């Protein structure tokens, strides 16, 4: 959003974030009720979340550049919100690279340990997701299901890249390997 404001020479201080957020979330709620072929759950997402939720040695948190209410709308549509007890959202940091520390602190306020960055794995489908992990020393798994291809995710520095999350066992094995190699 800040990039769009800059592109149109609108200063942050001149923009009413709360009003924009409310209108955006209201419009998204209407849009989520419409049928659209692009609105589909990507392969392996539910299986991976279900498998990770069953493990006592993993914590799930959501990191997204979306506003929290818009993230909730999108994930509830696919019954995925229930997997995330906390997270960090677009309104929590001026830059996506600040979201991992926010999520770690939110987990700590819920009684979970402060996970060292090297033991955190960010899964994402854009170079910005990969950069978000790298900015704090976390590991990253790139998934080429969005508009970014596998080669671009590798160039961005993803530790591991998959075409989809469909092979849950392979994705979890990659996560386990990344965490096992972590220097803490």
């Amino acid at each position: 959003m800040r990039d769009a404001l800059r592109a149109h020479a609108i200063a942050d201080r001149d923009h009413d974030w709360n009003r924009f957020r409310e209108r955006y979330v209201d419009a998204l709620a209407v849009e989520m009720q419409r049928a659209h072929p692009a609105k589909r759950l990507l392969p392996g997402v539910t299986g991976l979340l279900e498998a990770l939720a069953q493990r006592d040695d993993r914590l799930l948190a959501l990191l997204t550049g979306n506003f929290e209410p818009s993230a909730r709308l999108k994930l509830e549509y696919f019954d995925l919100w229930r997997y995330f007890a906390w997270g960090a959202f677009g309104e929590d940091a001026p830059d996506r690279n600040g979201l991992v520390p926010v999520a770690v602190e939110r987990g700590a306020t819920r009684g979970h340990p402060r996970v060292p960055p090297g033991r955190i794995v960010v899964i994402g489908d854009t170079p910005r997701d990969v950069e978000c992990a790298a900015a704090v020393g976390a590991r990253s798994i790139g998934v080429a299901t969005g508009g970014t291809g596998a080669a671009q995710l590798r160039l961005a520095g993803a530790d591991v890249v998959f075409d989809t999350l469909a092979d849950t066992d392979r994705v979890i094995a990659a996560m386990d390997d990344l965490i096992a190699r972590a220097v803490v």
Side-chain angles (χ1 to χ4, degrees):
M1 183 63 197
R2 284 181 175 82
D3 292 341
L5 290 175
R6 270 192 300 278
H8 295 283
I10 300 171
D12 252 354
R13 68 183 180 284
D14 297 334
H15 182 70
D16 185 345
W17 284 101
N18 291 330
R19 196 172 107 223
F20 172 81
R21 177 181 156 161
E22 288 171 15
R23 289 196 175 159
Y24 172 75
V25 171
D26 289 346
L28 180 63
V30 171
E31 185 62 32
M32 292 304 293
Q33 299 309 311
R34 294 186 178 135
H36 192 280
K39 197 171 21 177
R40 61 182 169 39
L41 189 56
L42 297 170
V45 172
T46 303
L48 179 61
L49 289 172
E50 191 61 39
L52 291 171
Q54 300 301 316
R55 292 181 61 163
D56 293 333
D57 63 338
R58 296 291 179 263
L59 301 172
L60 292 173
L62 179 67
L63 286 107
T64 178
N66 284 276
F67 296 119
E68 183 174 3
S70 58
R72 178 186 288 265
L73 282 169
K74 292 175 181 181
L75 294 180
E76 283 180 342
Y77 182 85
F78 294 106
D79 193 30
L80 300 178
W81 184 256
R82 64 190 169 101
Y83 291 105
F84 302 101
W86 74 91
F89 305 90
E91 65 266 31
D92 293 327
D95 184 282
R96 185 182 302 225
N97 292 353
L99 294 181
V100 171
V102 171
V104 169
E105 287 307 309
R106 286 202 174 130
T109 64
R110 288 167 173 74
H112 297 289
R114 283 184 174 83
V115 180
R119 296 185 56 81
I120 295 171
V121 179
V122 174
I123 299 175
D125 63 359
T126 72
R128 285 188 173 188
D129 297 326
V130 173
E131 292 163 13
C132 170
V136 296
R139 310 309 296 265
S140 63
I141 294 178
V143 187
T145 51
T148 306
Q152 291 171 293
L153 292 167
R154 282 187 194 89
L155 282 173
D159 294 293
V160 178
V161 176
F162 292 101
D163 290 328
T164 74
L165 297 174
D167 190 339
T168 300
D169 292 337
R170 278 187 62 217
V171 177
I172 289 178
M175 292 177 73
D176 289 345
D177 182 59
L178 290 172
I179 292 168
R181 292 188 285 141
V183 176
V184 289

